[in-house]
Structure formats: C-alpha cells, structure tokens
Amino acid sequence: MKFGGTSMAGTERIRRVANIVRRQAADGNQVAVVVSAMAGETDRLVNFCREANALYDPAEYDVVVASGEQVTSGLLALTLQSVGCKARSWLGWQLPVRTIEAHAKARIDDIDGDALVSAMEAGEIAVIPGFQGVSDDGRITTLGRGGSDTSAVAVAAAIGADRCDIYTDVDGVYTTDPRIVARARKLKAVTYEEMLELASVGAKVLQTRSVGLAMKEGVRVQVLSSFVDDDATPADEYPGTMIVSEEEMNELVEKGEMERQHVTGIAHDKNEAKIILTRVPDKPGAVAHIFDPLAKAAINVDMIIQNVGRDKGETDVTFTVPMADLARAQALLEDKRGDIGFNRIITDSHIAKISVVGVGMKSHAGVAATMFRSLADRGINIQAITTSEIKVSVMIDEDETELAVRVLHTAYGLDAPDNPAD
Ligand code: ADP
Ligand code: ASP
Ligand code: MG
C-alpha cells in the first residue's frame, strides 16, 4: 500500500490511513506501506535548499528533502501502534534501498526485501518512507519528484507482493486530469503501455518510472482513493483503476467490461520550454553540434523541429527542454555558438504540451487529424507536433492549456454523460 502526500497531510489524515492499513491487516493480509511526505512539505524543503544556496549541491539537497518521508513513516508507525497494530519504520538506508546514478534523480538498483518479509511474517506492518535510498558510498539519495510511486512498486517487486495499491487523492486514473475536466471518466483499467505514455507526457497520477518498473517486474498496480468512507468497497474488489497487460485488456473488452476507444486519455505538461535557433547552416553535422552538448549535460530534449532549408542554405531549429534546464541549455548553446553557427537564440517558457494517448490509434487513422481540426476550430495555434505509435502531442500557448484539454476530451467522445446513472 502506498499513500501520497495529501493522504499523509497531518495527524488526522494519518489516522485515517492507519485505519485503512489496519483493516487490510485484520483481513489476514501481510502489509508493507510506503509513504510520501505531507502534502507541500517537499516543495517547502526544496525552497529551503534554494534559499541556502542557489547552486545547491544535489547530495546535500537529498539530505534535506528526504527528511519529509522520514517524518511521515515514523508518524504512521506510531499511529498504527496506537490503534493496536504491531508496526515499525524501515528507512531507505536500513533496508537498504540501493540506488545508482545522480543525486536528486537516483534510480533504484536493488532492494533487499528479506528483513521486510521476516518482519511481515512475524505479524509486523512494515512502514517505508518513499522517495529515498542510499548510494554506493553510503549517502542518502532521492528518486526525483513523485518518486514514492516508484519506491512502492520496487518494494512490491522485492517482497513478491500480490498487488501494489497506490492510494491518492483521486479514485483512479481518469481519461484526463479530473481537476481540469469535470466530465473526465474514471477508467476501470488501463494498459501498462498507455499508462507509461500518459505519465511521461504529464499525467502526474503515477511517476513514469514506477509504471516502467511495474511493467518490467510484472507488478499488479491499482490506483485508488484514500478518501473513502468506512463502508466503501474494499480494495480487494478493485474500486480503483487496475494497470493491466494488453492481454488482460483484451479479455476485459471481450467480456464487455471495457470499451475500446481510439483515444484512452489526454495529458498536459506545462513544465517544458521552447528554444529556437535561427539561421543554422543547413548541412550535415549542424544538428549534431546542437544536441551533443545538451546530451553531455544530461538535458532531455523532447520535441524537435527542423524547418526545410530556406535560401542561402540556412534553417531554423526548434526544440523543447524541461523548464528547469532552460537556463543551463541556453548557456551551453551560447557557449557553442561558434561551432553551431546560429544567428539568434529565442526562448519561450510560456508553452504547454498537450498529448492524446491510446493503443487504439495503432490501427485507426484520423486521430491526429481530429486533434488538429478541433484545436483549429477554437482558434488554438499549434506550434509543433510529435507522434509515436500510440500518442500525438502538440505544443501550444500555455494560456490555452485548459481549453485545449477540454475541447479534445469532447472531440474524442470521452466526456461522461450528463446524468451518470448511479
Ligand atoms: P500523490 O500525492 O498521492 O502522489 P499526485 O498529486 O502526485 O498525488 O497525483 C494525483 C493527481 O494527479 C490528482 O490529484 C490529479 O489532479 C492528477 N492527475 C493528472 N492526470 C490524471 C489522470 N489522468 N487521472 C487521475 N489523476 C490525474
Ligand atoms: N515527496 C516527494 C515529492 O513530493 C515524493 C512523492 O511524494 O512521491 O516529490
Ligand atoms: Mg505523486
């Protein structure tokens, strides 16, 4: 069981969580619980780091931001004890959760599940702070924002759990962010492949890496709400959204429990920025000169457009980078101006990426055309386009994000009916 920040925000909410956990244990389940920091706490800690030193050392940043989950894991263990359960916390370095790669965006390499399994077999509930691990040289690491989802899936894999229930503040995965579209529909199931794509284009309900890991390790994941009444459907009857394989999805469709749509979901991302380099020489190697230094600096480039060469053998190259890396990318490119040979560098962080995702589009033409036509009808200008087998993304002005998501949700027939029969 994993509980996100909103579920852990304060001792009252932690008491509700303890009751949900206690019920699972009382039903005869052995339970490990992964927790996030209280809502807003990680942001607060990140700000402290920025104030202390704008160019902070990521290793010390990890020391600071990992503390949020330490607090909630101890508090949940205490609360569970207060309602009569045996429970203890297991910090990242105690298990240990071994991680590799960079501080602040570490990856889990391996979790030793033995101690957890023994404790659980002895009837103790294991409480594990999400988001944190330990590096080879014994220092605290964190997994990148939203990383507790990945901690939960990794713990589930390490102990061979029957299921990984991700409790959050919405009752499942919806056709789009239900905070933007009131008529978004809850999905009974979504495939790993689609969830991976949705998460990677901005649906923050699950961290992208958690979905990749669940797919690789075959972990059964359910997304569900912790804000439920005592008489709500128990988690074992799948009140939330199950992440399933394509075979399972086909079975659900055959049984009439799921409908096949061309588009399964829509996501948006406001955290990217656009860079345009004007008058780049239109010759072999020019683009490599631009992207080599960015790759070396571990800056992820997403959408790329190179216009057809204009006269004089020159062209413009446009691409996006994460907003957080914009300043660094700009400085690197300025530095390489001589090698690249561009005229001007124009940046814009006032953009958003809107993506429509669905395995149904593999075998159906016209999904992209519907997107372009619907946006055009509302006067929304498309600045760039990228596609994959199961996704179409467009870049638009950030101010038009919500409108675009709503328009597309309607255009693909995803809106819930006016009076849902319940
Ligand atoms: P937690 O703190 O539990 O990890 P997050 O805030 O990280 O929760 O993720 C849950 C949020 O994800 C929801 O409140 C919702 O606004 C947002 N969200 C974005 N896209 C979707 C979607 N397709 N389905 C459900 N929630 C979504
Ligand atoms: N507390 C961390 C964050 O806010 C990790 C998480 O909640 O998943 O990013
Ligand atoms: Mg989250």
Side-chain angles (χ1 to χ4, degrees), residues 2 4-6 167-170 172-174 176-179 203-205:
K2 179 258 172 177
T6 328
Y167 286 84
T168 180
D169 55 1
V170 284
V173 178
Y174 279 70
T176 193
D177 189 338
R179 294 185 202 288
K204 73 165 186 165
V205 61

Side-chain angles (χ1 to χ4, degrees), residues 6-324:
T6 328
S7 313
M8 299 300 292
T11 44
E12 255 330 291
R13 296 227 173 132
I14 293 178
R15 194 161 296 283
R16 293 179 65 105
V17 166
N19 278 323
I20 298 175
V21 174
R22 184 171 55 95
R23 273 204 295 280
Q24 283 292 334
D27 283 351
N29 294 302
Q30 293 175 3
V31 192
V33 190
V34 172
V35 295
S36 283
M38 294 190 193
E41 179 64 8
T42 309
D43 287 339
R44 196 175 74 95
L45 296 168
V46 170
N47 277 330
F48 281 144
C49 293
R50 291 207 180 108
E51 280 168 30
N53 183 344
L55 291 173
Y56 52 75
D57 166 12
E60 298 303 344
Y61 161 97
D62 280 349
V63 172
V64 177
V65 299
S67 67
E69 273 75 9
Q70 172 158 342
V71 171
T72 47
S73 60
L75 286 174
L76 179 59
L78 285 172
T79 314
L80 282 166
Q81 290 166 2
S82 81
V83 295
C85 298
K86 263 171 74 181
R88 78 154 271 195
S89 63
W90 295 88
L91 300 184
W93 59 271
Q94 291 170 328
L95 280 175
V97 177
R98 287 194 204 86
T99 63
I100 46 173
E101 289 177 32
H103 278 283
K105 47 180 168 191
R107 272 174 184 273
I108 296 178
D109 183 31
D110 172 59
I111 294 185
D112 193 337
D114 292 351
L116 282 185
V117 171
S118 314
M120 288 162 70
E121 278 171 353
E124 192 174 67
I125 295 169
V127 185
I128 300 130
F131 192 45
Q132 58 171 250
V134 57
S135 67
D136 269 349
D137 54 356
R139 301 200 67 180
I140 289 185
T141 55
T142 63
L143 306 180
R145 298 307 303 271
S148 295
D149 298 330
T150 305
S151 306
V153 171
V155 166
I159 62 178
D162 296 325
R163 208 173 64 236
C164 179
D165 280 343
I166 308 250
Y167 286 84
T168 180
D169 55 1
V170 284
D171 59 356
V173 178
Y174 279 70
T175 46
T176 193
D177 189 338
R179 294 185 202 288
I180 293 191
V181 179
R183 291 170 73 174
R185 271 196 285 198
K186 192 173 101 183
L187 298 164
K188 187 183 171 72
V190 58
T191 63
Y192 287 108
E193 197 187 6
E194 287 169 314
M195 193 62 236
L196 190 63
E197 197 89 63
L198 278 169
S200 74
V201 294
K204 73 165 186 165
V205 61
L206 288 177
Q207 197 198 32
T208 310
R209 278 184 183 172
S210 72
V211 187
L213 188 64
M215 192 165 159
K216 180 165 150 266
E217 300 284 341
V219 176
R220 286 180 71 71
V221 176
Q222 175 176 212
V223 177
L224 70 173
S225 173
S226 68
F227 295 85
V228 287
D229 302 329
D230 284 349
D231 56 357
T233 324
D236 288 332
E237 284 161 39
Y238 308 138
T241 300
M242 288 297 300
I243 318 294
V244 299
S245 64
E246 252 190 277
E247 295 79 65
E248 283 177 89
M249 181 59 92
N250 290 336
E251 282 166 27
L252 287 172
V253 172
E254 266 165 35
K255 280 195 272 176
E257 292 184 24
M258 283 292 298
E259 254 177 87
R260 252 292 173 242
Q261 305 269 7
H262 304 313
V263 168
T264 302
I266 301 172
H268 70 278
D269 184 357
K270 295 181 177 178
N271 288 314
E272 286 189 30
K274 173 174 77 171
I275 298 180
I276 306 173
L277 297 181
T278 68
R279 299 181 57 192
V280 175
D282 190 12
K283 62 171 194 212
V287 177
H289 276 310
I290 300 173
F291 295 113
D292 280 346
L294 299 176
K296 284 203 186 90
I299 295 175
N300 271 329
V301 173
D302 181 24
M303 303 177 116
I304 303 175
I305 337 161
Q306 181 180 347
N307 299 336
V308 182
R310 293 192 302 209
D311 16 315
K312 297 196 223 115
E314 289 172 341
T315 181
D316 292 349
V317 179
T318 304
F319 54 94
T320 61
V321 296
M323 190 103 82

